[in-house]
Amino acid sequence: MSSKPVCIAQISDLHIKPPGRLAYGRVDTAKALERCITALNAFGPAPDFVVISGDLADTPSVEEYDYLKRLVAPLTLPFAGIPGNHDSRDMMRAAFPQNAYAFPSGALNQKVEIDVLDLLLLDSSVPGKPHGELDAPTLQWLDATLASSTNRPALLFLHHPPFATGISHMDRQNLHNPGELAAIIQRHPRVQRIATGHVHRAALTMFAGRPCTICPAPNHAVDLDLAELREPSFKVEPPAFHLHTWFPGEGFGNLVTHQVPIGEFDGPHPFFGPDGRLL
């Protein structure tokens, strides 16, 4: 096992439009991504890898992916993305041909080894549909890939959450076959985290006996309307990303997920003065 922590940053739901266009006529998703990349590049210690967990584009179109590539060019960290319901598998494959996709066509699953960690990026997109589903080849690949080791901690990333959040209009389009995913996870104790996106706001629950998170977005958040009082809506809330930090230890070590706000904030200020007393 590694003797040092390993940091995996997760950003999600970029929704890049063509240059000059605003998402929903209101949100400048390109500027939001630029601020996010500035925060990632400045973070210390530098994350070892960045996972983009879906909805990289918005419509989608070739123009959007071309613009996305220009926007992410300043990122100084290695990264890989998986499709969300707003993406096109074929356009993503063409835009990022250097990625080590598991299949020559179809789902854009990837395995990325970062030090002692295995990052398994699962394509839960269903072409032309808003909901998610892991197809049979993806489930078979996941099971076989997890079976290939018994001692390397594994983090699973996919776009659609496999659990209900209480936001009904989003829950209707979450992962539609969570039971099949849960059965695989339960066979492989090395899975330490299931990390998702899609809802544009942070959430945490247990799924198949493991912590399962939703990553916030760098732009806008889905309205937290648990009582169904409003039409499906969004708010422009403080943006953030997730930092999944693995620490060495017994067994599979310890994985902690931090939420990192994007922006400039007052501080840091010391708690103690030169004499060791609280200020």
Side-chain angles (χ1 to χ4, degrees):
M1 279 288 182
S2 173
S3 60
K4 65 180 183 67
V6 180
C7 295
I8 307 300
Q10 180 190 4
I11 64 176
S12 197
D13 297 273
L14 311 182
H15 288 271
I16 296 304
K17 304 285 287 184
R21 293 275 300 279
L22 302 179
Y24 311 106
R26 183 176 295 269
V27 182
D28 191 337
T29 54
K31 286 293 184 184
L33 178 56
E34 289 175 346
R35 290 191 293 266
C36 180
I37 289 174
T38 297
L40 287 168
N41 285 342
F43 193 86
D48 296 281
F49 197 80
V50 179
V51 175
I52 310 175
S53 53
D55 284 358
L56 284 70
D58 190 63
T59 327
S61 68
V62 172
E63 183 182 17
E64 289 174 351
Y65 286 108
D66 287 343
Y67 190 31
L68 169 67
K69 290 199 301 183
R70 296 199 301 272
L71 290 169
V72 299
L75 182 62
T76 59
L77 308 168
F79 72 93
I82 44 177
N85 51 292
H86 282 256
D87 287 305
S88 160
R89 286 175 172 175
D90 291 341
M91 291 180 191
M92 274 192 66
R93 191 185 291 271
F96 302 103
Q98 72 279 6
N99 291 350
Y101 301 113
F103 306 139
S105 61
L108 303 184
N109 306 313
Q110 301 171 62
K111 175 186 176 184
V112 181
E113 296 182 5
I114 305 294
D115 202 320
V116 301
L117 299 184
D118 283 344
L119 312 182
L120 303 184
L121 280 56
L122 308 176
D123 182 353
S124 61
S125 67
V126 179
K129 302 291 183 180
H131 72 274
E133 186 171 350
L134 298 173
D135 61 22
T138 293
L139 292 167
Q140 293 164 4
W141 174 83
L142 174 62
D143 198 19
T145 302
L146 286 171
S148 67
S149 174
T150 59
N151 63 351
R152 289 176 60 86
L155 283 62
L156 308 188
F157 292 88
L158 66 158
H159 182 67
H160 297 84
F163 63 90
T165 65
I167 306 173
S168 61
H169 69 96
M170 297 302 297
D171 291 341
R172 287 192 291 270
Q173 50 180 278
N174 64 5
L175 189 72
H176 278 199
N177 59 338
E180 293 179 275
L181 175 61
I184 294 173
I185 290 170
Q186 289 165 347
R187 288 197 291 271
H188 301 284
R190 73 187 186 105
V191 175
Q192 299 300 291
R193 183 75 83 253
I194 304 98
T196 71
H198 190 52
V199 187
H200 289 236
R201 63 182 318 114
L204 166 68
T205 191
M206 298 294 289
F207 174 77
R210 317 297 159 82
C212 184
T213 57
I214 299 176
C215 183
N219 37 54
H220 54 285
V222 171
D223 183 23
L224 187 59
D225 180 18
L226 300 179
E228 300 185 55
L229 300 174
R230 297 173 289 277
E231 292 297 316
S233 305
F234 68 91
K235 290 184 175 181
V236 180
E237 297 182 357
F241 63 89
H242 271 172
L243 188 72
H244 305 287
T245 305
W246 178 88
F247 298 94
E250 293 184 7
F252 293 106
N254 184 39
L255 187 69
V256 177
T257 296
H258 297 275
Q259 180 164 315
V260 184
I262 297 168
E264 296 292 332
F265 305 96
D266 189 24
H269 303 291
F271 288 112
F272 301 95
D275 58 359
R277 294 183 181 183
L278 278 170
L279 294 173

Short mmCIF file of all heavy atoms in Angstrom, two decimals, residues 148-172:
data_model
loop_
_atom_site.label_atom_id
_atom_site.label_comp_id
_atom_site.label_asym_id
_atom_site.label_seq_id
_atom_site.Cartn_x
_atom_site.Cartn_y
_atom_site.Cartn_z
N SER A 148 -10.52 -8.55 -10.62
CA SER A 148 -9.12 -8.67 -11.03
C SER A 148 -8.14 -8.36 -9.90
O SER A 148 -6.94 -8.60 -10.04
CB SER A 148 -8.83 -7.75 -12.22
OG SER A 148 -8.93 -6.38 -11.84
N SER A 149 -8.63 -7.81 -8.80
CA SER A 149 -7.78 -7.54 -7.63
C SER A 149 -8.61 -7.70 -6.37
O SER A 149 -9.83 -7.52 -6.39
CB SER A 149 -7.22 -6.11 -7.69
OG SER A 149 -6.52 -5.79 -6.50
N THR A 150 -7.93 -8.05 -5.29
CA THR A 150 -8.61 -8.16 -4.00
C THR A 150 -8.10 -7.15 -2.99
O THR A 150 -8.64 -7.05 -1.88
CB THR A 150 -8.45 -9.57 -3.43
OG1 THR A 150 -7.05 -9.86 -3.27
CG2 THR A 150 -9.09 -10.61 -4.32
N ASN A 151 -7.04 -6.41 -3.35
CA ASN A 151 -6.42 -5.55 -2.34
C ASN A 151 -6.33 -4.08 -2.73
O ASN A 151 -5.90 -3.26 -1.92
CB ASN A 151 -5.03 -6.07 -1.97
CG ASN A 151 -4.07 -6.06 -3.15
OD1 ASN A 151 -4.46 -5.81 -4.29
ND2 ASN A 151 -2.82 -6.33 -2.88
N ARG A 152 -6.74 -3.71 -3.95
CA ARG A 152 -6.66 -2.31 -4.36
C ARG A 152 -8.00 -1.64 -4.09
O ARG A 152 -9.03 -2.08 -4.60
CB ARG A 152 -6.31 -2.18 -5.84
CG ARG A 152 -4.87 -2.56 -6.17
CD ARG A 152 -4.62 -2.50 -7.68
NE ARG A 152 -4.85 -1.18 -8.24
CZ ARG A 152 -3.92 -0.21 -8.27
NH1 ARG A 152 -2.72 -0.42 -7.75
NH2 ARG A 152 -4.20 0.97 -8.83
N PRO A 153 -8.03 -0.55 -3.30
CA PRO A 153 -9.29 0.17 -3.11
C PRO A 153 -9.82 0.68 -4.45
O PRO A 153 -9.05 1.10 -5.31
CB PRO A 153 -8.89 1.33 -2.20
CG PRO A 153 -7.59 0.94 -1.58
CD PRO A 153 -6.91 0.06 -2.58
N ALA A 154 -11.13 0.63 -4.61
CA ALA A 154 -11.76 1.05 -5.86
C ALA A 154 -12.81 2.13 -5.58
O ALA A 154 -13.58 2.03 -4.62
CB ALA A 154 -12.40 -0.13 -6.57
N LEU A 155 -12.82 3.14 -6.44
CA LEU A 155 -13.83 4.19 -6.41
C LEU A 155 -14.62 4.09 -7.70
O LEU A 155 -14.04 4.05 -8.79
CB LEU A 155 -13.20 5.58 -6.31
CG LEU A 155 -12.65 6.07 -4.96
CD1 LEU A 155 -11.53 5.18 -4.47
CD2 LEU A 155 -12.19 7.51 -5.07
N LEU A 156 -15.95 4.03 -7.58
CA LEU A 156 -16.81 3.96 -8.75
C LEU A 156 -17.40 5.34 -9.02
O LEU A 156 -17.90 6.00 -8.10
CB LEU A 156 -17.95 2.96 -8.55
CG LEU A 156 -17.61 1.55 -8.09
CD1 LEU A 156 -18.86 0.66 -8.15
CD2 LEU A 156 -16.48 0.95 -8.90
N PHE A 157 -17.36 5.76 -10.27
CA PHE A 157 -17.95 7.03 -10.69
C PHE A 157 -18.98 6.76 -11.78
O PHE A 157 -18.72 6.02 -12.73
CB PHE A 157 -16.88 7.98 -11.23
CG PHE A 157 -15.91 8.47 -10.20
CD1 PHE A 157 -14.76 7.75 -9.90
CD2 PHE A 157 -16.14 9.66 -9.51
CE1 PHE A 157 -13.85 8.20 -8.96
CE2 PHE A 157 -15.25 10.12 -8.56
CZ PHE A 157 -14.10 9.39 -8.28
N LEU A 158 -20.15 7.36 -11.66
CA LEU A 158 -21.16 7.34 -12.71
C LEU A 158 -22.00 8.60 -12.59
O LEU A 158 -21.96 9.28 -11.56
CB LEU A 158 -22.03 6.08 -12.64
CG LEU A 158 -22.96 5.91 -11.43
CD1 LEU A 158 -24.09 4.93 -11.78
CD2 LEU A 158 -22.20 5.32 -10.23
N HIS A 159 -22.74 8.91 -13.62
CA HIS A 159 -23.49 10.17 -13.62
C HIS A 159 -24.75 10.09 -12.78
O HIS A 159 -25.01 10.97 -11.94
CB HIS A 159 -23.86 10.57 -15.05
CG HIS A 159 -24.59 11.88 -15.14
ND1 HIS A 159 -24.00 13.09 -14.82
CD2 HIS A 159 -25.88 12.18 -15.48
CE1 HIS A 159 -24.87 14.07 -14.98
NE2 HIS A 159 -26.03 13.54 -15.38
N HIS A 160 -25.54 9.06 -12.98
CA HIS A 160 -26.87 8.99 -12.36
C HIS A 160 -26.81 8.35 -10.97
O HIS A 160 -26.30 7.24 -10.83
CB HIS A 160 -27.81 8.18 -13.24
CG HIS A 160 -28.07 8.77 -14.59
ND1 HIS A 160 -27.22 8.58 -15.67
CD2 HIS A 160 -29.08 9.56 -15.04
CE1 HIS A 160 -27.70 9.21 -16.72
NE2 HIS A 160 -28.83 9.82 -16.37
N PRO A 161 -27.35 9.01 -9.95
CA PRO A 161 -27.38 8.40 -8.62
C PRO A 161 -28.24 7.14 -8.60
O PRO A 161 -29.30 7.08 -9.25
CB PRO A 161 -28.01 9.49 -7.74
CG PRO A 161 -27.81 10.77 -8.49
CD PRO A 161 -27.87 10.39 -9.94
N PRO A 162 -27.82 6.13 -7.85
CA PRO A 162 -28.61 4.90 -7.75
C PRO A 162 -29.60 4.93 -6.58
O PRO A 162 -30.06 3.88 -6.13
CB PRO A 162 -27.53 3.84 -7.53
CG PRO A 162 -26.48 4.55 -6.73
CD PRO A 162 -26.49 5.98 -7.23
N PHE A 163 -29.91 6.14 -6.07
CA PHE A 163 -30.82 6.26 -4.93
C PHE A 163 -31.72 7.48 -5.13
O PHE A 163 -31.40 8.39 -5.89
CB PHE A 163 -30.04 6.38 -3.61
CG PHE A 163 -29.17 7.61 -3.52
CD1 PHE A 163 -29.66 8.80 -3.00
CD2 PHE A 163 -27.85 7.59 -3.96
CE1 PHE A 163 -28.87 9.93 -2.91
CE2 PHE A 163 -27.04 8.72 -3.86
CZ PHE A 163 -27.55 9.89 -3.34
N ALA A 164 -32.83 7.49 -4.41
CA ALA A 164 -33.75 8.62 -4.46
C ALA A 164 -33.28 9.72 -3.53
O ALA A 164 -32.88 9.47 -2.40
CB ALA A 164 -35.15 8.17 -4.07
N THR A 165 -33.35 10.96 -4.02
CA THR A 165 -32.94 12.12 -3.24
C THR A 165 -34.11 12.81 -2.54
O THR A 165 -33.91 13.63 -1.65
CB THR A 165 -32.26 13.16 -4.13
OG1 THR A 165 -33.22 13.66 -5.08
CG2 THR A 165 -31.07 12.56 -4.86
N GLY A 166 -35.33 12.52 -2.97
CA GLY A 166 -36.49 13.25 -2.49
C GLY A 166 -36.90 14.39 -3.40
O GLY A 166 -37.95 15.00 -3.20
N ILE A 167 -36.07 14.70 -4.40
CA ILE A 167 -36.43 15.70 -5.42
C ILE A 167 -37.08 14.92 -6.56
O ILE A 167 -36.40 14.31 -7.39
CB ILE A 167 -35.19 16.47 -5.90
CG1 ILE A 167 -34.45 17.09 -4.71
CG2 ILE A 167 -35.59 17.55 -6.91
CD1 ILE A 167 -33.12 17.73 -5.07
N SER A 168 -38.39 14.92 -6.60
CA SER A 168 -39.11 13.93 -7.40
C SER A 168 -38.79 13.98 -8.88
O SER A 168 -38.65 12.94 -9.53
CB SER A 168 -40.62 14.09 -7.18
OG SER A 168 -41.05 15.38 -7.58
N HIS A 169 -38.69 15.19 -9.45
CA HIS A 169 -38.47 15.25 -10.89
C HIS A 169 -37.08 14.75 -11.27
O HIS A 169 -36.86 14.31 -12.40
CB HIS A 169 -38.71 16.67 -11.43
CG HIS A 169 -37.70 17.69 -10.99
ND1 HIS A 169 -36.61 18.05 -11.75
CD2 HIS A 169 -37.61 18.44 -9.87
CE1 HIS A 169 -35.91 18.97 -11.12
NE2 HIS A 169 -36.48 19.23 -9.98
N MET A 170 -36.11 14.79 -10.32
CA MET A 170 -34.80 14.21 -10.57
C MET A 170 -34.80 12.71 -10.29
O MET A 170 -34.15 11.93 -11.01
CB MET A 170 -33.74 14.90 -9.69
CG MET A 170 -33.55 16.37 -9.99
SD MET A 170 -33.08 16.74 -11.71
CE MET A 170 -31.49 15.92 -11.82
N ASP A 171 -35.54 12.28 -9.28
CA ASP A 171 -35.57 10.86 -8.94
C ASP A 171 -36.17 10.02 -10.06
O ASP A 171 -35.82 8.84 -10.22
CB ASP A 171 -36.36 10.64 -7.65
CG ASP A 171 -35.64 11.19 -6.43
OD1 ASP A 171 -34.41 11.41 -6.51
OD2 ASP A 171 -36.30 11.41 -5.39
N ARG A 172 -37.05 10.62 -10.85
CA ARG A 172 -37.62 9.87 -11.97
C ARG A 172 -36.59 9.55 -13.04
O ARG A 172 -36.79 8.65 -13.85
CB ARG A 172 -38.78 10.66 -12.60
CG ARG A 172 -40.04 10.70 -11.75
CD ARG A 172 -41.21 11.23 -12.54
NE ARG A 172 -41.08 12.64 -12.87
CZ ARG A 172 -41.52 13.63 -12.10
NH1 ARG A 172 -42.10 13.36 -10.94
NH2 ARG A 172 -41.38 14.90 -12.48
#
